[in-house]
PDB file of all heavy atoms in Angstrom:
ATOM      1  N   LYS A   2       0.531   2.213  -0.847  1.00  0.00           N
ATOM      2  CA  LYS A   2       1.318   3.435  -0.929  1.00  0.00           C
ATOM      3  C   LYS A   2       1.019   4.325   0.264  1.00  0.00           C
ATOM      4  O   LYS A   2      -0.105   4.406   0.732  1.00  0.00           O
ATOM      5  CB  LYS A   2       1.004   4.194  -2.209  1.00  0.00           C
ATOM      6  CG  LYS A   2       1.529   3.527  -3.431  1.00  0.00           C
ATOM      7  CD  LYS A   2       1.296   4.408  -4.631  1.00  0.00           C
ATOM      8  CE  LYS A   2       1.897   3.744  -5.854  1.00  0.00           C
ATOM      9  NZ  LYS A   2       1.762   4.564  -7.029  1.00  0.00           N
ATOM     10  N   GLU A   6       3.251   9.565  -0.898  1.00  0.00           N
ATOM     11  CA  GLU A   6       3.671   9.066  -2.200  1.00  0.00           C
ATOM     12  C   GLU A   6       2.608   9.320  -3.262  1.00  0.00           C
ATOM     13  O   GLU A   6       2.917   9.521  -4.421  1.00  0.00           O
ATOM     14  CB  GLU A   6       3.974   7.575  -2.133  1.00  0.00           C
ATOM     15  CG  GLU A   6       5.280   7.257  -1.439  1.00  0.00           C
ATOM     16  CD  GLU A   6       5.567   5.783  -1.449  1.00  0.00           C
ATOM     17  OE1 GLU A   6       4.728   5.016  -0.972  1.00  0.00           O
ATOM     18  OE2 GLU A   6       6.646   5.414  -1.944  1.00  0.00           O
ATOM     19  N   THR A   7       1.354   9.293  -2.881  1.00  0.00           N
ATOM     20  CA  THR A   7       0.303   9.529  -3.856  1.00  0.00           C
ATOM     21  C   THR A   7       0.141  11.013  -4.161  1.00  0.00           C
ATOM     22  O   THR A   7      -0.367  11.366  -5.210  1.00  0.00           O
ATOM     23  CB  THR A   7      -1.041   8.950  -3.363  1.00  0.00           C
ATOM     24  OG1 THR A   7      -1.381   9.559  -2.131  1.00  0.00           O
ATOM     25  CG2 THR A   7      -0.974   7.455  -3.215  1.00  0.00           C
ATOM     26  N   ILE A  14      13.987   9.283 -13.920  1.00  0.00           N
ATOM     27  CA  ILE A  14      15.176   9.742 -14.628  1.00  0.00           C
ATOM     28  C   ILE A  14      15.882   8.521 -15.206  1.00  0.00           C
ATOM     29  O   ILE A  14      16.205   7.591 -14.481  1.00  0.00           O
ATOM     30  CB  ILE A  14      16.137  10.503 -13.690  1.00  0.00           C
ATOM     31  CG1 ILE A  14      15.473  11.777 -13.184  1.00  0.00           C
ATOM     32  CG2 ILE A  14      17.453  10.807 -14.403  1.00  0.00           C
ATOM     33  CD1 ILE A  14      16.290  12.536 -12.156  1.00  0.00           C
ATOM     34  N   ASP A  54       4.824  10.658 -13.547  1.00  0.00           N
ATOM     35  CA  ASP A  54       4.160  11.871 -14.024  1.00  0.00           C
ATOM     36  C   ASP A  54       4.996  12.603 -15.068  1.00  0.00           C
ATOM     37  O   ASP A  54       4.474  13.417 -15.822  1.00  0.00           O
ATOM     38  CB  ASP A  54       3.871  12.804 -12.844  1.00  0.00           C
ATOM     39  CG  ASP A  54       2.925  12.155 -11.851  1.00  0.00           C
ATOM     40  OD1 ASP A  54       1.801  11.814 -12.248  1.00  0.00           O
ATOM     41  OD2 ASP A  54       3.317  11.975 -10.682  1.00  0.00           O
ATOM     42  N   PRO A  63      22.389   2.519 -22.025  1.00  0.00           N
ATOM     43  CA  PRO A  63      22.534   1.120 -22.410  1.00  0.00           C
ATOM     44  C   PRO A  63      21.152   0.498 -22.588  1.00  0.00           C
ATOM     45  O   PRO A  63      20.180   0.940 -21.979  1.00  0.00           O
ATOM     46  CB  PRO A  63      23.271   0.492 -21.222  1.00  0.00           C
ATOM     47  CG  PRO A  63      23.082   1.418 -20.085  1.00  0.00           C
ATOM     48  CD  PRO A  63      22.794   2.773 -20.653  1.00  0.00           C
ATOM     49  N   THR A  68      16.852   8.492 -27.579  1.00  0.00           N
ATOM     50  CA  THR A  68      15.878   8.912 -28.587  1.00  0.00           C
ATOM     51  C   THR A  68      14.844   7.824 -28.838  1.00  0.00           C
ATOM     52  O   THR A  68      13.654   8.117 -29.001  1.00  0.00           O
ATOM     53  CB  THR A  68      16.569   9.309 -29.906  1.00  0.00           C
ATOM     54  OG1 THR A  68      17.449   8.257 -30.310  1.00  0.00           O
ATOM     55  CG2 THR A  68      17.343  10.598 -29.750  1.00  0.00           C
ATOM     56  N   MET A  85      14.229  15.499 -22.831  1.00  0.00           N
ATOM     57  CA  MET A  85      15.512  14.954 -23.253  1.00  0.00           C
ATOM     58  C   MET A  85      16.561  15.867 -22.631  1.00  0.00           C
ATOM     59  O   MET A  85      16.603  17.064 -22.933  1.00  0.00           O
ATOM     60  CB  MET A  85      15.624  14.946 -24.771  1.00  0.00           C
ATOM     61  CG  MET A  85      16.978  14.543 -25.296  1.00  0.00           C
ATOM     62  SD  MET A  85      17.362  12.802 -25.128  1.00  0.00           S
ATOM     63  CE  MET A  85      16.493  12.125 -26.518  1.00  0.00           C
ATOM     64  N   TYR A  96      16.022  15.246 -35.285  1.00  0.00           N
ATOM     65  CA  TYR A  96      14.566  15.170 -35.444  1.00  0.00           C
ATOM     66  C   TYR A  96      13.966  14.096 -34.537  1.00  0.00           C
ATOM     67  O   TYR A  96      12.816  14.192 -34.136  1.00  0.00           O
ATOM     68  CB  TYR A  96      14.191  14.903 -36.905  1.00  0.00           C
ATOM     69  CG  TYR A  96      14.394  13.474 -37.344  1.00  0.00           C
ATOM     70  CD1 TYR A  96      13.351  12.562 -37.268  1.00  0.00           C
ATOM     71  CD2 TYR A  96      15.625  13.045 -37.827  1.00  0.00           C
ATOM     72  CE1 TYR A  96      13.536  11.250 -37.644  1.00  0.00           C
ATOM     73  CE2 TYR A  96      15.808  11.739 -38.214  1.00  0.00           C
ATOM     74  CZ  TYR A  96      14.764  10.841 -38.121  1.00  0.00           C
ATOM     75  OH  TYR A  96      14.946   9.547 -38.493  1.00  0.00           O
ATOM     76  N   VAL A 115      14.704  22.532 -13.821  1.00  0.00           N
ATOM     77  CA  VAL A 115      13.677  22.618 -12.774  1.00  0.00           C
ATOM     78  C   VAL A 115      12.465  23.401 -13.277  1.00  0.00           C
ATOM     79  O   VAL A 115      11.320  22.986 -13.072  1.00  0.00           O
ATOM     80  CB  VAL A 115      14.256  23.238 -11.480  1.00  0.00           C
ATOM     81  CG1 VAL A 115      13.159  23.518 -10.472  1.00  0.00           C
ATOM     82  CG2 VAL A 115      15.311  22.311 -10.882  1.00  0.00           C
ATOM     83  N   ALA A 123       2.696  21.257 -14.620  1.00  0.00           N
ATOM     84  CA  ALA A 123       1.526  22.137 -14.503  1.00  0.00           C
ATOM     85  C   ALA A 123       0.650  21.996 -15.743  1.00  0.00           C
ATOM     86  O   ALA A 123      -0.582  21.948 -15.639  1.00  0.00           O
ATOM     87  CB  ALA A 123       1.969  23.587 -14.332  1.00  0.00           C
ATOM     88  N   GLU A 126      -1.432  18.869 -15.676  1.00  0.00           N
ATOM     89  CA  GLU A 126      -2.513  18.884 -14.690  1.00  0.00           C
ATOM     90  C   GLU A 126      -3.765  19.573 -15.210  1.00  0.00           C
ATOM     91  O   GLU A 126      -4.850  19.354 -14.690  1.00  0.00           O
ATOM     92  CB  GLU A 126      -2.067  19.602 -13.413  1.00  0.00           C
ATOM     93  CG  GLU A 126      -1.079  18.825 -12.601  1.00  0.00           C
ATOM     94  CD  GLU A 126      -0.589  19.605 -11.391  1.00  0.00           C
ATOM     95  OE1 GLU A 126      -0.875  20.812 -11.303  1.00  0.00           O
ATOM     96  OE2 GLU A 126       0.064  18.995 -10.548  1.00  0.00           O
TER      97      GLU A 126
END
Side-chain angles (χ1 to χ4, degrees):
K2 289 186 177 183
E6 286 182 304
T7 59
I14 296 175
D54 298 300
T68 52
M85 173 73 81
Y96 77 93
V115 172
E126 288 176 350

